[in-house]
Amino acid sequence: MIEQLRADPILVEPSMAMGDSAAAHDLLTEAAEDAGVPVYVVLADTPTDLAGTDSVSEQAAALFRAELGDGLYHVEFREGIAYTRSWGGGELDEAYTAPVAFAIERAESNAAGEYPRASALFEAVLTVRWAAAPLDELPDSLVDDYAAQPWAFVAETDYDRADKAAGRWVALLATTFGLLVAGAIITPVVLRAKPATGRGAAGRRSGSASVSVPARRVGPTRAGRAMPTTSAVPGGVAATATRQLDDARRRLAGLSPEQLTSPAGTAAADAVEAGDLVLATGDPLDAVGATVLAAVAVRETERATAPKRDPYRPCFINPLHGEARATVRIDGSSIDAPVCRDCSRTQDRFLAVRRRLRGWAPYVETSTVWARTGFGALVGDLAAQVLDDRSARR
């Protein structure tokens, strides 16, 4: 592989090319033109000499860099998760790939089907495009153009189709017996939310759910309005959370001693600790929470050097949509909640999990710290509340 990369820095094997290796190669080559640093992309089957080892992509990236020199490396093998790292790229070395993760989450939430999953090629293209302006969000128009391509999402498996059919029966039964109205669900969630506890040296901020954009009402609010349709936790969230927490740890390790002991540095460390704790449970909502905690940790490392940056708040309706950009009045309730741009236009598809007796249920109906805090959208001390919650369970 190293010799192949010496000759051509873009290596896409057929198993990862979504049907056309040559087209995938050309697409990535074109995307890399504006990166400003050497770009190496490897999408391939797992090398036999690394099979069965931990962090295969990370190991391979380090080996490639040792042989090929500085640059941006994006490596993903068929039996693993992607790893991205930059060496010698200035601000790119310290940049966090959150814009890529959020772009993928947004694209998956808007894609057809119940369980759309971004392809390795889609993630690689977005990563290379992100490298040109690592501190900015990827433009929605760019992401939408790529998401519309036939190679952007992995084809559904037989299991996906069977699960989707079962989900339709659950939805039919839920409609027959009636769903709780949004107000009956949201209001208890807010009442249960705990105030900031002041855990640790970080001096937690208050639990206000306000953001800079004025609140506005979305959709009808007449009594008896049914809960919107739900969106299941997609597969692969735990792997995404693992990757994002690793990135957060790397960012945390790069802080100076003064920054590490600052309120923002302490908050970042607490978020990573809480993320690791919940990720180990194997629960789907905990995996989603780990992605939010990773994003919180990264933002706090940024606030350690740029205190004017706003704290991270996720979309209340579905935290996998990414960062909240507006505030809206939740239908049938008395609260204003931070939401993403899409959910600011229409409240739909609350993140949901499967319950043993009731089928799919919005996460706000669960008796979890995620429901009480809106995955941190409604409070300013998510990590503290998660750590307190887990401590109380022991």
Side-chain angles (χ1 to χ4, degrees):
M1 280 189 179
I2 290 173
E3 293 309 313
Q4 288 178 277
L5 291 171
R6 290 189 198 279
D8 188 334
I10 307 296
L11 172 59
V12 184
E13 293 186 348
S15 62
M16 303 286 278
M18 298 301 290
D20 193 334
S21 295
H25 173 276
D26 293 345
L27 180 71
L28 287 164
T29 300
E30 179 184 0
E33 291 177 353
D34 297 327
V37 297
V39 174
Y40 297 90
V41 177
V42 175
L43 304 178
D45 290 321
T46 307
T48 55
D49 51 346
L50 291 178
T53 62
D54 294 330
S55 305
V56 177
S57 297
E58 183 174 352
Q59 290 186 58
L63 291 172
F64 295 152
R65 187 255 179 166
E67 294 293 329
L68 302 171
D70 290 345
L72 173 70
Y73 289 81
H74 178 82
V75 181
E76 182 170 357
F77 297 115
R78 188 175 183 184
E79 303 300 330
I81 61 175
Y83 179 77
T84 303
R85 177 92 185 259
S86 171
W87 286 275
E91 69 176 12
L92 186 60
D93 293 358
E94 301 300 323
Y96 179 58
T97 57
V100 177
F102 295 151
I104 291 174
E105 289 161 3
R106 176 182 176 276
E108 288 179 335
S109 69
N110 292 332
E114 284 296 316
Y115 306 103
R117 181 163 59 93
S119 68
L121 179 57
F122 187 31
E123 180 176 356
V125 172
L126 292 182
T127 300
V128 176
R129 287 290 189 185
W130 156 83
L135 300 183
D136 299 333
E137 291 186 3
L138 288 164
D140 288 348
S141 58
L142 176 70
V143 177
D144 291 342
D145 285 345
Y146 283 133
Q149 303 304 312
W151 44 261
F153 297 96
V154 177
E156 294 178 342
T157 64
D158 291 340
Y159 175 82
D160 290 334
R161 285 191 289 272
D163 204 20
K164 193 187 304 182
R168 284 195 292 269
W169 278 106
V170 170
L172 176 61
L173 291 172
T175 302
T176 302
F177 290 103
L179 296 174
L180 293 175
V181 297
I185 297 169
I186 301 301
T187 302
V189 170
V190 181
L191 293 177
R192 289 198 305 267
K194 296 188 295 184
T197 60
R199 178 186 176 89
R204 307 293 178 185
R205 294 171 294 279
S206 67
S208 170
S210 63
V211 294
S212 58
V213 182
R216 64 186 182 86
R217 190 180 301 277
V218 174
T221 58
R222 62 183 181 274
R225 183 185 187 276
M227 170 60 75
T229 55
T230 56
S231 178
V233 176
V237 173
T240 299
T242 299
R243 181 172 66 250
Q244 292 176 346
L245 285 168
D246 287 343
D247 286 342
R249 265 187 288 273
R250 189 174 74 239
R251 291 286 294 271
L252 192 62
L255 296 180
S256 68
E258 294 78 12
Q259 292 165 346
L260 278 172
T261 55
S262 69
T266 304
D270 284 352
V272 171
E273 178 187 355
D276 287 337
L277 189 64
V278 298
L279 185 59
T281 67
D283 180 85
L285 286 185
D286 284 350
V288 174
T291 69
V292 176
L293 287 161
V296 169
V298 169
R299 180 61 56 83
E300 292 303 315
T301 63
E302 294 171 348
R303 283 166 51 80
T305 57
K308 292 185 178 180
R309 290 216 64 181
D310 291 331
Y312 180 85
R313 295 289 176 86
C315 174
F316 172 76
I317 290 175
N318 188 335
L320 293 178
H321 290 173
E323 188 168 7
R325 298 297 183 186
T327 302
V328 299
R329 176 63 52 86
I330 300 298
D331 289 349
S333 80
S334 60
I335 68 165
D336 299 324
V339 294
C340 67
R341 280 192 290 260
D342 289 342
C343 289
S344 71
R345 292 187 288 269
T346 176
Q347 292 178 29
D348 198 11
R349 304 186 70 80
F350 269 76
L351 183 73
V353 290
R354 191 190 295 277
R355 282 180 156 183
R356 183 178 301 174
L357 298 178
R358 292 186 54 202
W360 292 104
Y363 83 88
V364 290
E365 290 188 39
T366 64
S367 299
T368 63
V369 66
W370 314 119
R372 293 195 301 271
T373 64
F375 280 95
L378 304 178
V379 299
D381 62 338
L382 177 63
Q385 294 209 30
V386 170
L387 292 170
D388 289 344
D389 176 77
R390 299 299 151 148
S391 178
R393 294 187 184 194
R394 295 193 183 99

mmCIF file with all atom_site columns, all heavy atoms in Angstrom, residues 213-239:
data_model
loop_
_atom_site.group_PDB
_atom_site.id
_atom_site.type_symbol
_atom_site.label_atom_id
_atom_site.label_alt_id
_atom_site.label_comp_id
_atom_site.label_asym_id
_atom_site.label_entity_id
_atom_site.label_seq_id
_atom_site.pdbx_PDB_ins_code
_atom_site.Cartn_x
_atom_site.Cartn_y
_atom_site.Cartn_z
_atom_site.occupancy
_atom_site.B_iso_or_equiv
_atom_site.pdbx_formal_charge
_atom_site.auth_seq_id
_atom_site.auth_comp_id
_atom_site.auth_asym_id
_atom_site.auth_atom_id
_atom_site.pdbx_PDB_model_num
ATOM 1   N N   . VAL A 1 213 ? -30.731 33.141 18.468 1.00 0.00 ? 213 VAL A N   1
ATOM 2   C CA  . VAL A 1 213 ? -31.811 33.385 17.518 1.00 0.00 ? 213 VAL A CA  1
ATOM 3   C C   . VAL A 1 213 ? -33.145 33.490 18.243 1.00 0.00 ? 213 VAL A C   1
ATOM 4   O O   . VAL A 1 213 ? -33.459 32.648 19.084 1.00 0.00 ? 213 VAL A O   1
ATOM 5   C CB  . VAL A 1 213 ? -31.882 32.249 16.479 1.00 0.00 ? 213 VAL A CB  1
ATOM 6   C CG1 . VAL A 1 213 ? -32.963 32.523 15.454 1.00 0.00 ? 213 VAL A CG1 1
ATOM 7   C CG2 . VAL A 1 213 ? -30.530 32.082 15.804 1.00 0.00 ? 213 VAL A CG2 1
ATOM 8   N N   . PRO A 1 214 ? -33.977 34.515 17.981 1.00 0.00 ? 214 PRO A N   1
ATOM 9   C CA  . PRO A 1 214 ? -35.262 34.644 18.674 1.00 0.00 ? 214 PRO A CA  1
ATOM 10  C C   . PRO A 1 214 ? -36.143 33.420 18.465 1.00 0.00 ? 214 PRO A C   1
ATOM 11  O O   . PRO A 1 214 ? -36.148 32.807 17.398 1.00 0.00 ? 214 PRO A O   1
ATOM 12  C CB  . PRO A 1 214 ? -35.885 35.891 18.015 1.00 0.00 ? 214 PRO A CB  1
ATOM 13  C CG  . PRO A 1 214 ? -34.734 36.638 17.431 1.00 0.00 ? 214 PRO A CG  1
ATOM 14  C CD  . PRO A 1 214 ? -33.740 35.596 17.027 1.00 0.00 ? 214 PRO A CD  1
ATOM 15  N N   . ALA A 1 215 ? -36.908 33.094 19.498 1.00 0.00 ? 215 ALA A N   1
ATOM 16  C CA  . ALA A 1 215 ? -37.785 31.919 19.390 1.00 0.00 ? 215 ALA A CA  1
ATOM 17  C C   . ALA A 1 215 ? -38.944 32.218 18.454 1.00 0.00 ? 215 ALA A C   1
ATOM 18  O O   . ALA A 1 215 ? -39.438 33.326 18.370 1.00 0.00 ? 215 ALA A O   1
ATOM 19  C CB  . ALA A 1 215 ? -38.333 31.547 20.775 1.00 0.00 ? 215 ALA A CB  1
ATOM 20  N N   . ARG A 1 216 ? -39.360 31.190 17.739 1.00 0.00 ? 216 ARG A N   1
ATOM 21  C CA  . ARG A 1 216 ? -40.557 31.312 16.918 1.00 0.00 ? 216 ARG A CA  1
ATOM 22  C C   . ARG A 1 216 ? -41.302 29.992 16.948 1.00 0.00 ? 216 ARG A C   1
ATOM 23  O O   . ARG A 1 216 ? -40.727 28.932 17.165 1.00 0.00 ? 216 ARG A O   1
ATOM 24  C CB  . ARG A 1 216 ? -40.214 31.698 15.474 1.00 0.00 ? 216 ARG A CB  1
ATOM 25  C CG  . ARG A 1 216 ? -39.397 30.670 14.716 1.00 0.00 ? 216 ARG A CG  1
ATOM 26  C CD  . ARG A 1 216 ? -39.021 31.251 13.354 1.00 0.00 ? 216 ARG A CD  1
ATOM 27  N NE  . ARG A 1 216 ? -38.271 30.290 12.555 1.00 0.00 ? 216 ARG A NE  1
ATOM 28  C CZ  . ARG A 1 216 ? -38.842 29.369 11.789 1.00 0.00 ? 216 ARG A CZ  1
ATOM 29  N NH1 . ARG A 1 216 ? -40.148 29.273 11.731 1.00 0.00 ? 216 ARG A NH1 1
ATOM 30  N NH2 . ARG A 1 216 ? -38.102 28.537 11.084 1.00 0.00 ? 216 ARG A NH2 1
ATOM 31  N N   . ARG A 1 217 ? -42.592 30.059 16.729 1.00 0.00 ? 217 ARG A N   1
ATOM 32  C CA  . ARG A 1 217 ? -43.425 28.865 16.814 1.00 0.00 ? 217 ARG A CA  1
ATOM 33  C C   . ARG A 1 217 ? -43.387 28.103 15.492 1.00 0.00 ? 217 ARG A C   1
ATOM 34  O O   . ARG A 1 217 ? -43.340 28.688 14.423 1.00 0.00 ? 217 ARG A O   1
ATOM 35  C CB  . ARG A 1 217 ? -44.860 29.260 17.133 1.00 0.00 ? 217 ARG A CB  1
ATOM 36  C CG  . ARG A 1 217 ? -45.750 28.097 17.475 1.00 0.00 ? 217 ARG A CG  1
ATOM 37  C CD  . ARG A 1 217 ? -47.148 28.592 17.775 1.00 0.00 ? 217 ARG A CD  1
ATOM 38  N NE  . ARG A 1 217 ? -47.168 29.537 18.868 1.00 0.00 ? 217 ARG A NE  1
ATOM 39  C CZ  . ARG A 1 217 ? -47.179 29.194 20.153 1.00 0.00 ? 217 ARG A CZ  1
ATOM 40  N NH1 . ARG A 1 217 ? -47.143 27.919 20.479 1.00 0.00 ? 217 ARG A NH1 1
ATOM 41  N NH2 . ARG A 1 217 ? -47.210 30.092 21.101 1.00 0.00 ? 217 ARG A NH2 1
ATOM 42  N N   . VAL A 1 218 ? -43.389 26.796 15.598 1.00 0.00 ? 218 VAL A N   1
ATOM 43  C CA  . VAL A 1 218 ? -43.391 25.960 14.400 1.00 0.00 ? 218 VAL A CA  1
ATOM 44  C C   . VAL A 1 218 ? -44.582 25.032 14.447 1.00 0.00 ? 218 VAL A C   1
ATOM 45  O O   . VAL A 1 218 ? -44.783 24.320 15.427 1.00 0.00 ? 218 VAL A O   1
ATOM 46  C CB  . VAL A 1 218 ? -42.105 25.121 14.304 1.00 0.00 ? 218 VAL A CB  1
ATOM 47  C CG1 . VAL A 1 218 ? -42.185 24.157 13.134 1.00 0.00 ? 218 VAL A CG1 1
ATOM 48  C CG2 . VAL A 1 218 ? -40.891 26.027 14.142 1.00 0.00 ? 218 VAL A CG2 1
ATOM 49  N N   . GLY A 1 219 ? -45.389 25.036 13.392 1.00 0.00 ? 219 GLY A N   1
ATOM 50  C CA  . GLY A 1 219 ? -46.468 24.067 13.278 1.00 0.00 ? 219 GLY A CA  1
ATOM 51  C C   . GLY A 1 219 ? -47.658 24.367 14.164 1.00 0.00 ? 219 GLY A C   1
ATOM 52  O O   . GLY A 1 219 ? -47.647 25.259 15.006 1.00 0.00 ? 219 GLY A O   1
ATOM 53  N N   . PRO A 1 220 ? -48.713 23.603 13.991 1.00 0.00 ? 220 PRO A N   1
ATOM 54  C CA  . PRO A 1 220 ? -49.932 23.807 14.776 1.00 0.00 ? 220 PRO A CA  1
ATOM 55  C C   . PRO A 1 220 ? -49.748 23.391 16.219 1.00 0.00 ? 220 PRO A C   1
ATOM 56  O O   . PRO A 1 220 ? -48.932 22.541 16.529 1.00 0.00 ? 220 PRO A O   1
ATOM 57  C CB  . PRO A 1 220 ? -50.946 22.891 14.070 1.00 0.00 ? 220 PRO A CB  1
ATOM 58  C CG  . PRO A 1 220 ? -50.117 21.828 13.443 1.00 0.00 ? 220 PRO A CG  1
ATOM 59  C CD  . PRO A 1 220 ? -48.843 22.502 13.021 1.00 0.00 ? 220 PRO A CD  1
ATOM 60  N N   . THR A 1 221 ? -50.479 24.009 17.133 1.00 0.00 ? 221 THR A N   1
ATOM 61  C CA  . THR A 1 221 ? -50.360 23.684 18.553 1.00 0.00 ? 221 THR A CA  1
ATOM 62  C C   . THR A 1 221 ? -51.705 23.378 19.188 1.00 0.00 ? 221 THR A C   1
ATOM 63  O O   . THR A 1 221 ? -51.843 23.417 20.397 1.00 0.00 ? 221 THR A O   1
ATOM 64  C CB  . THR A 1 221 ? -49.725 24.872 19.313 1.00 0.00 ? 221 THR A CB  1
ATOM 65  O OG1 . THR A 1 221 ? -50.534 26.028 19.102 1.00 0.00 ? 221 THR A OG1 1
ATOM 66  C CG2 . THR A 1 221 ? -48.318 25.142 18.823 1.00 0.00 ? 221 THR A CG2 1
ATOM 67  N N   . ARG A 1 222 ? -52.697 23.082 18.391 1.00 0.00 ? 222 ARG A N   1
ATOM 68  C CA  . ARG A 1 222 ? -54.020 22.812 18.963 1.00 0.00 ? 222 ARG A CA  1
ATOM 69  C C   . ARG A 1 222 ? -53.977 21.554 19.833 1.00 0.00 ? 222 ARG A C   1
ATOM 70  O O   . ARG A 1 222 ? -53.165 20.651 19.627 1.00 0.00 ? 222 ARG A O   1
ATOM 71  C CB  . ARG A 1 222 ? -55.048 22.627 17.845 1.00 0.00 ? 222 ARG A CB  1
ATOM 72  C CG  . ARG A 1 222 ? -54.782 21.441 16.920 1.00 0.00 ? 222 ARG A CG  1
ATOM 73  C CD  . ARG A 1 222 ? -55.803 21.392 15.801 1.00 0.00 ? 222 ARG A CD  1
ATOM 74  N NE  . ARG A 1 222 ? -55.585 20.258 14.930 1.00 0.00 ? 222 ARG A NE  1
ATOM 75  C CZ  . ARG A 1 222 ? -54.757 20.272 13.915 1.00 0.00 ? 222 ARG A CZ  1
ATOM 76  N NH1 . ARG A 1 222 ? -54.058 21.364 13.650 1.00 0.00 ? 222 ARG A NH1 1
ATOM 77  N NH2 . ARG A 1 222 ? -54.607 19.205 13.156 1.00 0.00 ? 222 ARG A NH2 1
ATOM 78  N N   . ALA A 1 223 ? -54.852 21.527 20.801 1.00 0.00 ? 223 ALA A N   1
ATOM 79  C CA  . ALA A 1 223 ? -54.862 20.401 21.732 1.00 0.00 ? 223 ALA A CA  1
ATOM 80  C C   . ALA A 1 223 ? -55.111 19.099 20.995 1.00 0.00 ? 223 ALA A C   1
ATOM 81  O O   . ALA A 1 223 ? -55.885 19.035 20.056 1.00 0.00 ? 223 ALA A O   1
ATOM 82  C CB  . ALA A 1 223 ? -55.957 20.617 22.780 1.00 0.00 ? 223 ALA A CB  1
ATOM 83  N N   . GLY A 1 224 ? -54.452 18.059 21.457 1.00 0.00 ? 224 GLY A N   1
ATOM 84  C CA  . GLY A 1 224 ? -54.664 16.749 20.878 1.00 0.00 ? 224 GLY A CA  1
ATOM 85  C C   . GLY A 1 224 ? -53.789 16.447 19.680 1.00 0.00 ? 224 GLY A C   1
ATOM 86  O O   . GLY A 1 224 ? -53.916 15.396 19.078 1.00 0.00 ? 224 GLY A O   1
ATOM 87  N N   . ARG A 1 225 ? -52.862 17.344 19.323 1.00 0.00 ? 225 ARG A N   1
ATOM 88  C CA  . ARG A 1 225 ? -51.972 17.062 18.187 1.00 0.00 ? 225 ARG A CA  1
ATOM 89  C C   . ARG A 1 225 ? -51.082 15.882 18.538 1.00 0.00 ? 225 ARG A C   1
ATOM 90  O O   . ARG A 1 225 ? -50.484 15.820 19.595 1.00 0.00 ? 225 ARG A O   1
ATOM 91  C CB  . ARG A 1 225 ? -51.112 18.295 17.885 1.00 0.00 ? 225 ARG A CB  1
ATOM 92  C CG  . ARG A 1 225 ? -50.221 18.108 16.675 1.00 0.00 ? 225 ARG A CG  1
ATOM 93  C CD  . ARG A 1 225 ? -49.314 19.335 16.523 1.00 0.00 ? 225 ARG A CD  1
ATOM 94  N NE  . ARG A 1 225 ? -48.560 19.298 15.292 1.00 0.00 ? 225 ARG A NE  1
ATOM 95  C CZ  . ARG A 1 225 ? -47.418 18.662 15.128 1.00 0.00 ? 225 ARG A CZ  1
ATOM 96  N NH1 . ARG A 1 225 ? -46.929 17.967 16.124 1.00 0.00 ? 225 ARG A NH1 1
ATOM 97  N NH2 . ARG A 1 225 ? -46.782 18.705 13.961 1.00 0.00 ? 225 ARG A NH2 1
ATOM 98  N N   . ALA A 1 226 ? -51.012 14.919 17.656 1.00 0.00 ? 226 ALA A N   1
ATOM 99  C CA  . ALA A 1 226 ? -50.233 13.703 17.936 1.00 0.00 ? 226 ALA A CA  1
ATOM 100 C C   . ALA A 1 226 ? -48.745 13.992 17.872 1.00 0.00 ? 226 ALA A C   1
ATOM 101 O O   . ALA A 1 226 ? -48.300 14.910 17.208 1.00 0.00 ? 226 ALA A O   1
ATOM 102 C CB  . ALA A 1 226 ? -50.581 12.613 16.923 1.00 0.00 ? 226 ALA A CB  1
ATOM 103 N N   . MET A 1 227 ? -47.977 13.181 18.602 1.00 0.00 ? 227 MET A N   1
ATOM 104 C CA  . MET A 1 227 ? -46.525 13.287 18.537 1.00 0.00 ? 227 MET A CA  1
ATOM 105 C C   . MET A 1 227 ? -46.053 13.048 17.102 1.00 0.00 ? 227 MET A C   1
ATOM 106 O O   . MET A 1 227 ? -46.558 12.156 16.431 1.00 0.00 ? 227 MET A O   1
ATOM 107 C CB  . MET A 1 227 ? -45.906 12.226 19.463 1.00 0.00 ? 227 MET A CB  1
ATOM 108 C CG  . MET A 1 227 ? -44.398 12.058 19.318 1.00 0.00 ? 227 MET A CG  1
ATOM 109 S SD  . MET A 1 227 ? -43.482 13.540 19.671 1.00 0.00 ? 227 MET A SD  1
ATOM 110 C CE  . MET A 1 227 ? -43.596 13.563 21.447 1.00 0.00 ? 227 MET A CE  1
ATOM 111 N N   . PRO A 1 228 ? -45.101 13.850 16.609 1.00 0.00 ? 228 PRO A N   1
ATOM 112 C CA  . PRO A 1 228 ? -44.618 13.657 15.249 1.00 0.00 ? 228 PRO A CA  1
ATOM 113 C C   . PRO A 1 228 ? -44.041 12.258 15.056 1.00 0.00 ? 228 PRO A C   1
ATOM 114 O O   . PRO A 1 228 ? -43.774 11.537 16.015 1.00 0.00 ? 228 PRO A O   1
ATOM 115 C CB  . PRO A 1 228 ? -43.522 14.728 15.118 1.00 0.00 ? 228 PRO A CB  1
ATOM 116 C CG  . PRO A 1 228 ? -43.824 15.726 16.192 1.00 0.00 ? 228 PRO A CG  1
ATOM 117 C CD  . PRO A 1 228 ? -44.453 14.955 17.293 1.00 0.00 ? 228 PRO A CD  1
ATOM 118 N N   . THR A 1 229 ? -43.832 11.888 13.801 1.00 0.00 ? 229 THR A N   1
ATOM 119 C CA  . THR A 1 229 ? -43.208 10.606 13.522 1.00 0.00 ? 229 THR A CA  1
ATOM 120 C C   . THR A 1 229 ? -41.822 10.570 14.144 1.00 0.00 ? 229 THR A C   1
ATOM 121 O O   . THR A 1 229 ? -41.225 11.599 14.419 1.00 0.00 ? 229 THR A O   1
ATOM 122 C CB  . THR A 1 229 ? -43.091 10.388 12.009 1.00 0.00 ? 229 THR A CB  1
ATOM 123 O OG1 . THR A 1 229 ? -42.378 11.496 11.439 1.00 0.00 ? 229 THR A OG1 1
ATOM 124 C CG2 . THR A 1 229 ? -44.454 10.272 11.378 1.00 0.00 ? 229 THR A CG2 1
ATOM 125 N N   . THR A 1 230 ? -41.310 9.372  14.355 1.00 0.00 ? 230 THR A N   1
ATOM 126 C CA  . THR A 1 230 ? -40.037 9.233  15.053 1.00 0.00 ? 230 THR A CA  1
ATOM 127 C C   . THR A 1 230 ? -38.942 8.751  14.117 1.00 0.00 ? 230 THR A C   1
ATOM 128 O O   . THR A 1 230 ? -39.195 8.240  13.037 1.00 0.00 ? 230 THR A O   1
ATOM 129 C CB  . THR A 1 230 ? -40.170 8.235  16.216 1.00 0.00 ? 230 THR A CB  1
ATOM 130 O OG1 . THR A 1 230 ? -40.658 6.990  15.690 1.00 0.00 ? 230 THR A OG1 1
ATOM 131 C CG2 . THR A 1 230 ? -41.125 8.755  17.267 1.00 0.00 ? 230 THR A CG2 1
ATOM 132 N N   . SER A 1 231 ? -37.710 8.936  14.561 1.00 0.00 ? 231 SER A N   1
ATOM 133 C CA  . SER A 1 231 ? -36.545 8.514  13.798 1.00 0.00 ? 231 SER A CA  1
ATOM 134 C C   . SER A 1 231 ? -35.702 7.613  14.685 1.00 0.00 ? 231 SER A C   1
ATOM 135 O O   . SER A 1 231 ? -35.248 8.028  15.755 1.00 0.00 ? 231 SER A O   1
ATOM 136 C CB  . SER A 1 231 ? -35.737 9.742  13.356 1.00 0.00 ? 231 SER A CB  1
ATOM 137 O OG  . SER A 1 231 ? -34.587 9.345  12.650 1.00 0.00 ? 231 SER A OG  1
ATOM 138 N N   . ALA A 1 232 ? -35.511 6.371  14.277 1.00 0.00 ? 232 ALA A N   1
ATOM 139 C CA  . ALA A 1 232 ? -34.786 5.408  15.094 1.00 0.00 ? 232 ALA A CA  1
ATOM 140 C C   . ALA A 1 232 ? -33.308 5.761  15.179 1.00 0.00 ? 232 ALA A C   1
ATOM 141 O O   . ALA A 1 232 ? -32.745 6.375  14.279 1.00 0.00 ? 232 ALA A O   1
ATOM 142 C CB  . ALA A 1 232 ? -34.944 4.002  14.499 1.00 0.00 ? 232 ALA A CB  1
ATOM 143 N N   . VAL A 1 233 ? -32.686 5.371  16.277 1.00 0.00 ? 233 VAL A N   1
ATOM 144 C CA  . VAL A 1 233 ? -31.238 5.528  16.403 1.00 0.00 ? 233 VAL A CA  1
ATOM 145 C C   . VAL A 1 233 ? -30.584 4.666  15.328 1.00 0.00 ? 233 VAL A C   1
ATOM 146 O O   . VAL A 1 233 ? -30.797 3.457  15.283 1.00 0.00 ? 233 VAL A O   1
ATOM 147 C CB  . VAL A 1 233 ? -30.760 5.091  17.799 1.00 0.00 ? 233 VAL A CB  1
ATOM 148 C CG1 . VAL A 1 233 ? -29.235 5.177  17.878 1.00 0.00 ? 233 VAL A CG1 1
ATOM 149 C CG2 . VAL A 1 233 ? -31.394 5.943  18.882 1.00 0.00 ? 233 VAL A CG2 1
ATOM 150 N N   . PRO A 1 234 ? -29.816 5.257  14.438 1.00 0.00 ? 234 PRO A N   1
ATOM 151 C CA  . PRO A 1 234 ? -29.227 4.474  13.347 1.00 0.00 ? 234 PRO A CA  1
ATOM 152 C C   . PRO A 1 234 ? -28.099 3.574  13.825 1.00 0.00 ? 234 PRO A C   1
ATOM 153 O O   . PRO A 1 234 ? -27.501 3.811  14.884 1.00 0.00 ? 234 PRO A O   1
ATOM 154 C CB  . PRO A 1 234 ? -28.695 5.553  12.392 1.00 0.00 ? 234 PRO A CB  1
ATOM 155 C CG  . PRO A 1 234 ? -28.412 6.716  13.275 1.00 0.00 ? 234 PRO A CG  1
ATOM 156 C CD  . PRO A 1 234 ? -29.468 6.683  14.356 1.00 0.00 ? 234 PRO A CD  1
ATOM 157 N N   . GLY A 1 235 ? -27.812 2.550  13.060 1.00 0.00 ? 235 GLY A N   1
ATOM 158 C CA  . GLY A 1 235 ? -26.679 1.696  13.375 1.00 0.00 ? 235 GLY A CA  1
ATOM 159 C C   . GLY A 1 235 ? -25.369 2.446  13.190 1.00 0.00 ? 235 GLY A C   1
ATOM 160 O O   . GLY A 1 235 ? -25.277 3.395  12.421 1.00 0.00 ? 235 GLY A O   1
ATOM 161 N N   . GLY A 1 236 ? -24.350 2.037  13.902 1.00 0.00 ? 236 GLY A N   1
ATOM 162 C CA  . GLY A 1 236 ? -23.038 2.651  13.743 1.00 0.00 ? 236 GLY A CA  1
ATOM 163 C C   . GLY A 1 236 ? -22.792 3.869  14.609 1.00 0.00 ? 236 GLY A C   1
ATOM 164 O O   . GLY A 1 236 ? -21.712 4.475  14.536 1.00 0.00 ? 236 GLY A O   1
ATOM 165 N N   . VAL A 1 237 ? -23.779 4.258  15.447 1.00 0.00 ? 237 VAL A N   1
ATOM 166 C CA  . VAL A 1 237 ? -23.579 5.441  16.287 1.00 0.00 ? 237 VAL A CA  1
ATOM 167 C C   . VAL A 1 237 ? -22.469 5.218  17.303 1.00 0.00 ? 237 VAL A C   1
ATOM 168 O O   . VAL A 1 237 ? -21.682 6.122  17.593 1.00 0.00 ? 237 VAL A O   1
ATOM 169 C CB  . VAL A 1 237 ? -24.898 5.827  16.995 1.00 0.00 ? 237 VAL A CB  1
ATOM 170 C CG1 . VAL A 1 237 ? -24.668 6.938  18.007 1.00 0.00 ? 237 VAL A CG1 1
ATOM 171 C CG2 . VAL A 1 237 ? -25.921 6.275  15.978 1.00 0.00 ? 237 VAL A CG2 1
ATOM 172 N N   . ALA A 1 238 ? -22.381 4.004  17.847 1.00 0.00 ? 238 ALA A N   1
ATOM 173 C CA  . ALA A 1 238 ? -21.337 3.720  18.834 1.00 0.00 ? 238 ALA A CA  1
ATOM 174 C C   . ALA A 1 238 ? -19.954 3.889  18.219 1.00 0.00 ? 238 ALA A C   1
ATOM 175 O O   . ALA A 1 238 ? -19.030 4.424  18.858 1.00 0.00 ? 238 ALA A O   1
ATOM 176 C CB  . ALA A 1 238 ? -21.504 2.309  19.390 1.00 0.00 ? 238 ALA A CB  1
ATOM 177 N N   . ALA A 1 239 ? -19.785 3.437  16.970 1.00 0.00 ? 239 ALA A N   1
ATOM 178 C CA  . ALA A 1 239 ? -18.494 3.601  16.300 1.00 0.00 ? 239 ALA A CA  1
ATOM 179 C C   . ALA A 1 239 ? -18.185 5.079  16.070 1.00 0.00 ? 239 ALA A C   1
ATOM 180 O O   . ALA A 1 239 ? -17.041 5.531  16.236 1.00 0.00 ? 239 ALA A O   1
ATOM 181 C CB  . ALA A 1 239 ? -18.500 2.848  14.969 1.00 0.00 ? 239 ALA A CB  1
#
